[in-house]
Amino acid sequence: YKVFSVLTKCRFYLMQGDDFFTMDQGRYENMGVDRLATLTGATHLQGSPALVFDGGTATTYSATDSNGIILGGGIGPGLKIKYDCLANNTSLPDISHSKFIERIQRAQDSDEPQPLSIFSKNTEDAMICDAFQEFALKGRNIISHWLEKNKNTTNERDSKVDGVKKINTERVIYCTGGDGNILFELLKPRFGGVIESSNQNSQNLNENYIVQFNKNLVHYGVADVLSKQFRYKKLYESSYLGQRVAKCFDVESELGDNIYLGTVIKEYKNGGKIMYDVKYDDQDEENGLGVAELLVRLETYRAHRKDDPSVVSSKKSYGREKSAQVESENSGEVDIAKGPSHDSAPNKGGKRKCFPAKKSTVAKMAKTRDIATEVNKSHPTELVGRRVAKHFKIGGSRKLFFGTVKCYYEESNSWFIEYDDGDEEDYSRSQLINYLKHYDAHKEQDKDKERNSEVTHD
């Protein structure tokens, strides 16, 4: 909860097994997402076949064949669990992680190497050597089987990486995880010098594979999946997420007809087909729409867009685009030829809840003349009904426009303004203060003050 409350501007993804491998690709029920992610990362970096050893609380190995299909893997206790178990259930000493890291460093010392002897003569060395041998010899047995299974296979996957099939021709094997660096050393030729080796096991498979350590393998896997999804959406489909839709129902809507407006809230695959979920403004939802059905609702919305209260139009009657405005906050002027104000409230599509004012508050607010204090200390809805003024530059001349604060949008912390000529705009807090002040300076020119300052109530 604390992470979500602090990282408010970050995007979070909840990833599941199918995001990495489907059942058809060999994923079995309840296979760990971390294992799937490391396999994906290995495939991304080197191609198929892939083999990953992951050393952590549990030590796992996972593999795919040359066609990218999961072969399976194994799960066993990690180094810490092994030593904790011995310490808790016997009179043997508790060996910390730092101790066996230090022992590896002594074994590989360039000046005076002290590899662990197979026949150790002290308790700690005997415990460390036994666990290390287990990982080293088991790992080599796994590698041998993996190489045998992929000896005569070729990469025939339908999927491609950036249009090119990627094949792990050098048979690169990855070690990852908190203890991945230890596994990496033990799988090197001659056990990386950590354990004494005979001439027989030093020649075993040494030239048939390459071992690499990559602590970020799971991140490569996650990044690969997300980037492929992004590229797929960009190249092969138009994302309709967040777009507005409309549909005719048998029940009369708030618009006085049978047209209900909504927003596309979810886009997903079901049986290989792209599906969409829609949430209507009355909170009802419609799930599992196909592309054809969605296109009909998009077309219906285009015909009824003018009825959507979430849409803010530009001042089109003067041929000006809202996106071409630059505001001068001190003067209340807008230069159409320059660019948009950075302080301008965003025009957000989708559902927006509009809060009207109470009649009693409008009259009360009109008595206050310290506008900045008034706006900052008032509830946002108390400003609804107030009149504003704004200068626009049209050609070489300035023209003053009057408008009315119609409602407050809580989600964007902005106020919806309707100008007397029918055009509309959103104001941020600082803009509202500025144009309320500008109105105070020019209110004598407001011919429609009484008519336009009325606030309607349900």
Side-chain angles (χ1 to χ4, degrees):
Y1 173 77
K2 289 182 178 179
V3 173
F4 285 94
S5 63
V6 174
L7 303 177
T8 55
K9 294 185 178 181
C10 293
R11 181 175 295 178
F12 293 87
Y13 293 92
L14 177 62
M15 306 191 76
Q16 299 176 337
D18 259 353
D19 293 320
F20 299 94
F21 288 87
T22 65
M23 292 292 192
D24 291 339
Q25 293 173 312
R27 180 177 67 84
Y28 60 81
E29 195 68 35
N30 298 324
M31 187 173 183
V33 176
D34 56 339
R35 295 174 63 195
L36 297 168
T38 57
L39 273 179
T40 302
T43 304
H44 169 70
L45 293 173
Q46 295 293 336
S48 297
L51 176 60
V52 176
F53 291 91
D54 191 345
T57 305
T59 299
T60 67
Y61 62 91
S62 311
T64 66
D65 64 18
S66 293
N67 295 314
I69 305 300
I70 295 176
L71 292 171
I75 304 173
L79 287 171
K80 186 177 186 304
I81 289 180
K82 284 178 177 289
Y83 295 124
D84 286 349
C85 182
L86 288 172
N88 294 333
N89 294 283
T90 70
S91 58
L92 292 169
D94 184 8
I95 300 179
S96 66
H97 188 272
S98 59
K99 280 186 178 179
F100 52 77
I101 291 295
E102 183 270 334
R103 187 62 186 87
I104 291 173
Q105 291 172 345
R106 281 198 289 129
Q108 296 177 324
D109 187 279
S110 58
D111 296 327
E112 193 176 342
Q114 302 174 45
L116 286 159
S117 174
I118 299 300
F119 302 103
S120 299
K121 291 187 177 181
N122 69 71
T123 301
E124 285 193 357
D125 273 11
M127 294 171 66
I128 294 173
C129 183
D130 184 81
F132 281 6
Q133 283 188 87
E134 181 181 338
F135 284 118
L137 298 175
K138 180 180 72 174
R140 280 165 168 73
N141 184 51
I142 292 166
I143 292 170
S144 177
H145 279 275
W146 177 71
L147 292 173
E148 183 66 27
K149 284 184 177 292
N150 291 293
K151 183 169 60 175
N152 298 317
T153 56
T154 58
N155 191 310
E156 297 174 351
R157 288 185 301 164
D158 291 332
S159 60
K160 298 181 180 180
V161 179
D162 294 329
V164 180
K165 292 180 179 178
K166 209 167 187 178
I167 305 173
N168 185 9
T169 54
E170 295 183 327
R171 297 303 192 251
V172 175
I173 296 165
Y174 280 105
C175 295
T176 190
D179 290 334
N181 56 335
I182 297 175
L183 302 181
F184 168 63
E185 296 296 336
L186 294 172
L187 292 176
K188 282 181 177 180
R190 291 184 175 272
F191 307 117
V194 177
I195 310 171
E196 66 174 348
S197 60
S198 66
N199 290 330
Q200 181 179 357
N201 60 39
S202 68
Q203 297 172 2
N204 183 32
L205 302 173
N206 284 343
E207 298 181 358
N208 297 335
Y209 65 94
I210 299 172
V211 182
Q212 293 184 6
F213 171 62
N214 191 318
K215 66 179 181 180
N216 298 316
L217 203 58
V218 66
H219 301 106
Y220 278 108
V222 170
D224 182 54
V225 168
L226 293 179
S227 64
K228 283 179 179 177
Q229 289 181 353
F230 177 79
R231 289 200 303 268
Y232 178 79
K233 286 186 176 182
K234 285 290 183 182
L235 295 174
Y236 302 109
E237 63 176 283
S238 297
S239 179
Y240 296 109
L241 276 176
Q243 293 208 26
R244 298 284 284 164
V245 297
K247 183 181 177 182
C248 181
F249 288 91
D250 293 334
V251 182
E252 185 174 300
S253 71
E254 293 180 355
L255 298 176
D257 53 22
N258 298 92
I259 299 298
Y260 283 76
L261 306 178
T263 304
V264 181
I265 61 170
K266 188 175 181 182
E267 182 178 80
Y268 54 96
K269 285 185 178 180
N270 185 5
K273 295 183 179 180
I274 301 171
M275 310 296 287
Y276 300 89
D277 290 351
V278 169
K279 188 171 186 178
Y280 290 95
D281 294 351
D282 63 355
Q283 304 305 308
D284 283 346
E285 293 190 15
E286 193 173 21
N287 302 318
L289 295 177
V291 175
E293 295 174 296
L294 183 68
L295 291 175
V296 172
R297 285 155 182 73
L298 289 167
E299 192 62 35
T300 304
Y301 174 75
R302 292 188 187 99
H304 295 273
R305 186 175 183 274
K306 65 182 184 302
D307 299 323
D308 189 353
S310 72
V311 175
V312 178
S313 66
S314 64
K315 298 190 77 63
K316 55 187 176 292
S317 57
Y318 291 93
R320 300 194 301 271
E321 293 294 332
K322 180 179 173 60
S323 60
Q325 298 176 353
V326 161
E327 301 173 293
S328 173
E329 292 291 343
N330 295 326
S331 66
E333 294 181 355
V334 176
D335 188 343
I336 304 308
K338 296 182 181 176
S341 165
H342 293 293
D343 195 32
S344 135
N347 173 24
K348 296 183 178 179
K351 177 175 69 65
R352 300 196 296 178
K353 188 173 182 180
C354 181
F355 293 88
K358 297 178 181 178
K359 268 187 179 178
S360 58
T361 63
V362 176
K364 180 179 68 176
M365 299 299 295
K367 299 177 182 179
T368 309
R369 293 272 63 87
D370 186 354
I371 292 175
T373 302
E374 170 188 331
V375 171
N376 290 325
K377 289 188 175 181
S378 302
H379 189 277
T381 59
E382 294 180 335
L383 301 167
V384 175
R386 296 295 299 274
R387 294 284 284 166
V388 295
K390 187 174 181 179
H391 269 101
F392 289 85
K393 285 185 179 179
I394 306 173
S397 62
R398 299 166 64 231
K399 184 173 178 63
L400 184 64
F401 288 85
F402 292 95
T404 304
V405 181
K406 287 297 185 180
C407 66
Y408 170 70
Y409 293 136
E410 187 177 44
E411 58 270 26
S412 59
N413 190 26
S414 61
W415 287 262
F416 173 64
I417 310 300
E418 184 177 22
Y419 291 100
D420 296 346
D421 65 348
D423 291 337
E424 303 164 350
E425 191 174 8
D426 282 1
Y427 282 178
S428 66
R429 182 176 295 272
S430 61
Q431 288 176 311
L432 183 62
I433 292 171
N434 184 62
Y435 298 128
L436 285 170
K437 289 180 179 179
H438 204 57
Y439 177 80
D440 247 13
H442 299 278
K443 59 186 177 183
E444 293 79 13
Q445 301 176 44
D446 186 7
K447 298 178 181 178
D448 297 328
K449 175 181 177 181
E450 296 300 325
R451 180 173 62 85
N452 286 289
S453 61
E454 294 178 0
V455 181
T456 58
H457 303 269
D458 295 328

